[in-house]
Amino acid sequence: MVGFFEGSCEMTDTLQRFGYTSIRIGSYEMKGHEFHHSRWVGQEEKEQEFLCVKHFGSRNEIYRTGQKKNNCYGSYVHIHLRSCSEIVESMAQHLTKWRNQNENPICR
């Protein structure tokens, strides 16, 4: 939407992905869902970053989605942060470290 990630999205007339999924980023696994009428254009799915397992009835579809650039992650998957408290703790640690390195001591 702002050109940060390589590629773009295009709207479609039909639903592209729908349902519950789990997404694996490194050693973290989180539950989530997808519901969208657009698709990613540009990067091949095999080159994308995050492994997803779509849970649909008795069949599990495995696919890759999303990109990582610097310390930013982007994906169609709407993650449920309470499904992985470890990643929330990790994000809080990174934010605290950043704040401590960038905080103006005059404003304390």
Side-chain angles (χ1 to χ4, degrees), residues 98-108:
W98 181 88
R99 184 194 63 205
N100 290 339
Q101 291 174 345
N102 294 286
E103 191 171 18
N104 185 342
I106 297 171
C107 297
R108 289 185 185 181

Side-chain angles (χ1 to χ4, degrees), residues 20-99:
Y20 294 108
T21 187
S22 59
I23 186 167
R24 196 170 300 137
I25 300 174
S27 62
Y28 300 113
E29 185 166 341
M30 294 163 284
K31 293 180 171 51
H33 72 276
E34 292 181 287
F35 180 91
H36 50 92
H37 285 270
S38 61
R39 69 174 163 239
W40 186 254
V41 179
Q43 192 180 33
E44 295 287 327
E45 278 198 334
K46 64 182 165 69
E47 297 173 354
Q48 293 181 354
E49 295 281 336
F50 318 123
L51 180 65
C52 290
V53 178
K54 181 175 182 179
H55 304 287
F56 184 77
S58 61
R59 147 185 134 206
N60 288 335
E61 176 188 359
I62 297 175
Y63 58 98
R64 293 194 178 274
T65 186
Q67 287 189 39
K68 177 182 184 282
K69 183 176 179 182
N70 302 332
N71 63 352
C72 185
Y73 295 84
S75 171
Y76 270 115
V77 178
H78 301 182
I79 60 173
H80 180 46
L81 288 174
R82 290 193 65 184
S83 69
C84 183
S85 61
E86 295 90 2
I87 201 164
V88 175
E89 291 170 19
S90 176
M91 289 187 321
Q93 289 172 1
H94 284 290
L95 290 170
T96 300
K97 180 180 176 183
W98 181 88
R99 184 194 63 205

